[in-house]
Amino acid sequence: MARRPLPRILSSGTTSLARGRDLARTAADSATDVLHPLLVIGRGLRILAAAGRRRWSQTPKDKRGPALFLGAACVLVVALVPYGPLLALITLMAAAAWHGRDRTPAKTGPSDAETERLGSLYEALVPYFSIPEDPSPLFAHGGDWDKAFSGYEFDEAGRVTRLHIRYPAYFTDGEAASRARIEALLHAKSGRGREYLFDWDEEGNQLDLRVLAALPTGIAAQPFVTSPGETVLGFTDAGGVQRTLPVLEGDEPRDVPPVIWRTGPRSTEPHLLAVGQPGSGTSTLLRSVALQALRHGGDVLIVDGGGSGEYSCLSGRAGVLAVECGPTGAQATLEWAAQETERRLIATHRAREVGRPAPEDTRRPLWILLDQPSVLAHLAVAEGGPDPLAQLQVPLRHGRPAHVTVVVAEQFGHLELLNDAVWQHTRARVVLGPTSVQQVADVLGLPPHTTPTAQVPPGRGYARLGTGPVHRLQVPATPDPYDEATHPAYRQAVLELLPERQPGPHRVLSAKSLRAPALDAQPEVAAEAP
């Protein structure tokens, strides 16, 4: 498979550009500090000149002659006085510096509107942070909010963007229900429609609330700088991960923190489950995963249960084994995938028995991508056939040592149709689209650390890898390149990442045609198989 080389700016130019921007910013700051007195004097001279012109325009025409004569006499006197020109210049510079000074008053406290908002927040928290037995309550009706709120910031609209709260030690901050009540109250009182991060310091009895900036939505699919076995699910907040990737957002290079999902024999989360509402971006996530798998030399099987044709751009491409949309084809494809997983396990075991490395074809990654498989399962059962999802048990249970990865995308309304094997073995989870806290907790196992909003862009959600923390997630824009309703630049980016089409007719997989002659092969033959 032909691999497209990385853009030069992604491989070597990002560090130089960042260093150049830092040097330019440092030089500009130093020049501003050095030239600050000259800037102040220049601004003052401009103000004095404007005042002189205004005064001259207001002077009657019959009085302008005497005024000019008086001014000339003053200049002559100053010129004849010893040190007169020097003193006049010093006086002019002092007047210019005085008039050109920064007159912006320093803000020493909140405004009246901000004080009223802080007081409202304080009164709303009183029932939760006070008890009748407290002799000296920190929160009390009509009390002073300065003792409870040690730090605060507001935006231009007067809404809270950051708030540092001290609360009594007897508050049950170790209980999730108690924290949830406080977070819901602060979310409602501080303004809806924004994402808030709540950082609880249980040891110091402090709560820090801040508004999170929106994740970037303009990053399209592109060759990410990752190693084989690493898949970029999307991008998150800077404080969530300890790694950044150089990407292009439009034409601007930048470094963003990614959510990296690692697969392979040493992965602790070998399979992925993505859940969302219609239009939330689960198909976009599967296309992004497929393009990255093909770029690293993997084989891809796609089962499109929705039958929307959003994966037709991958049909017949190098590395794409099949794109199935019907229950019969899905049954045959998944049956072959189960037997291929068994064949790889047996070939690897026999090779190790004789002291040989695993055959090359068993180490080539195999990706099984299923979009809305519950639809195909329902159709198969209605036609009296077997459930295709039953064939997933072998790849899910034994896929990790066989380099087989399963990715399932399903909607919230059909989750009960997924079998237990999918829930037990998909330890990497993604939730996309507008959701509630309870829905996120049901899928990921933990509630999100931020407050979900009702309106989110496509591909926006949360991700959790195994037992790790919950990350905010924005999936890179990977639309169907044949959909003319999407952004042309995003469609072109996907077309550039697609592998070349295979010559000749597209091969269709079936369980009978690819059934295990290799299962009965000798270890020596299996080790040399292509």
Side-chain angles (χ1 to χ4, degrees):
M1 180 181 64
R3 296 186 178 180
R4 188 176 299 277
L6 289 174
R8 185 182 301 275
I9 192 172
L10 291 181
S11 58
S12 61
T14 304
T15 304
S16 300
L17 288 176
R19 187 181 299 110
R21 287 196 299 267
D22 294 340
L23 292 176
R25 189 179 298 110
T26 303
D29 294 340
S30 301
T32 302
D33 295 338
V34 172
L35 300 177
H36 181 70
L38 296 179
L39 296 176
V40 173
I41 293 176
R43 184 166 57 245
L45 291 175
R46 187 173 64 252
I47 294 174
L48 292 176
R53 287 196 304 269
R54 187 168 55 254
R55 185 65 179 272
W56 178 259
S57 63
Q58 295 175 357
T59 303
K61 293 184 179 181
D62 56 343
K63 295 183 179 181
R64 291 182 178 180
L68 285 176
F69 178 77
L70 180 61
C74 292
V75 171
L76 181 61
V77 170
V78 170
L80 296 176
V81 172
Y83 304 104
L86 180 60
L87 293 176
L89 180 61
I90 294 175
T91 303
L92 179 62
M93 293 298 102
W98 176 259
H99 287 85
R101 71 189 189 279
D102 188 7
R103 301 182 180 183
T104 303
K107 186 177 180 181
T108 58
S111 61
D112 295 339
E114 294 172 353
T115 301
E116 183 178 357
R117 184 177 290 271
L118 290 174
S120 176
L121 287 173
Y122 177 82
E123 293 291 336
L125 291 173
V126 169
Y128 301 92
F129 286 151
S130 64
I131 58 175
E133 295 81 7
D134 191 352
S136 178
L138 182 61
F139 285 82
H141 292 292
D144 190 4
W145 55 264
D146 289 339
K147 299 180 181 179
F149 301 157
S150 58
Y152 44 83
E153 294 179 8
F154 294 87
D155 58 9
E156 297 178 355
R159 297 192 299 177
V160 176
T161 59
R162 186 153 193 168
L163 184 63
H164 192 76
I165 304 174
R166 293 176 54 243
Y167 56 87
Y170 51 76
F171 176 72
T172 57
D173 51 4
E175 299 178 2
S178 301
R179 294 197 303 267
R181 286 194 296 267
I182 300 299
E183 293 175 2
L185 174 65
L186 293 175
H187 181 206
K189 294 295 183 180
S190 300
R192 299 184 183 274
R194 301 183 297 175
E195 287 191 84
Y196 295 89
L197 174 63
F198 298 95
D199 186 10
W200 290 85
D201 182 8
E202 300 179 6
E203 183 178 0
N205 301 319
Q206 296 180 358
L207 169 62
D208 188 70
L209 174 150
R210 61 187 177 94
V211 178
L212 295 176
L215 295 176
T217 58
I219 302 177
Q222 54 193 280
F224 299 116
V225 185
T226 55
S227 302
E230 293 183 343
T231 303
V232 178
L233 298 180
F235 305 98
T236 184
D237 300 301
V241 295
Q242 299 179 354
R243 177 178 176 179
T244 59
L245 283 182
V247 298
L248 287 176
E249 186 175 1
D251 295 331
E252 295 293 332
R254 56 178 303 187
D255 293 336
V256 293
V259 177
I260 300 292
W261 173 40
R262 293 175 176 82
T263 57
R266 293 180 176 86
S267 173
T268 57
E269 303 86 22
H271 309 296
L272 175 71
L273 173 63
V275 184
Q277 302 288 354
S280 60
T282 54
S283 299
T284 297
L285 176 60
L286 258 64
R287 273 191 298 270
S288 177
V289 171
L291 292 176
Q292 295 181 63
L294 293 172
R295 176 174 169 266
H296 288 301
D299 292 331
V300 176
L301 286 173
I302 301 177
V303 177
D304 184 9
S308 59
E310 294 189 0
Y311 304 94
S312 59
C313 60
L314 296 171
S315 180
R317 302 283 180 174
V320 180
L321 301 182
V323 178
E324 296 291 348
C325 300
T328 304
Q331 175 68 26
T333 300
L334 295 180
E335 184 179 351
W336 174 86
Q339 295 182 2
E340 172 66 10
T341 304
E342 296 173 349
R343 183 195 71 81
R344 291 186 175 206
L345 292 175
I346 294 176
T348 302
H349 179 68
R350 290 178 176 176
R352 290 174 178 174
E353 282 183 341
V354 296
R356 296 197 176 200
E360 182 65 26
D361 63 336
T362 64
R363 289 179 289 172
R364 184 180 178 88
L366 175 61
W367 293 75
I368 306 173
L369 310 181
L370 301 96
D371 192 357
Q372 301 184 40
S374 61
V375 178
L376 295 178
H378 177 75
L379 293 177
V381 173
E383 294 177 358
D387 185 3
L389 294 181
Q391 301 295 331
L392 281 179
Q393 293 191 14
V394 175
L396 287 172
R397 295 179 186 273
H398 310 289
R400 182 174 62 177
H403 295 269
V404 178
T405 302
V406 179
V407 181
V408 180
E410 193 52 83
Q411 297 181 7
F412 276 104
H414 302 156
L415 290 181
E416 67 277 1
L417 300 179
L418 298 179
N419 53 29
D420 295 338
V422 175
W423 288 105
Q424 292 176 2
H425 298 282
T426 53
R427 294 172 50 83
R429 305 281 179 86
V430 173
V431 176
L432 299 179
T435 55
S436 63
V437 175
Q438 187 60 42
Q439 287 178 320
V440 176
D442 292 341
V443 176
L444 302 184
L446 283 179
H449 61 292
T450 62
T451 53
T453 57
Q455 300 294 333
V456 295
R460 173 69 177 83
Y462 298 92
R464 188 188 184 201
L465 304 179
T467 58
V470 178
H471 300 283
R472 288 204 307 166
L473 182 71
Q474 178 62 51
V475 178
T478 316
D480 181 7
Y482 299 155
D483 186 5
E484 297 181 356
T486 57
H487 198 283
Y490 298 160
R491 292 192 288 114
Q492 182 62 30
V494 176
L495 288 174
E496 293 178 356
L497 292 177
L498 289 175
E500 297 180 356
R501 290 192 177 275
Q502 292 178 336
H506 175 52
R507 181 181 64 178
V508 180
L509 298 181
S510 65
K512 294 181 179 180
S513 62
L514 293 180
R515 187 163 297 170
L519 292 179
D520 300 329
Q522 298 299 323
E524 293 80 7
V525 178
E528 298 175 357

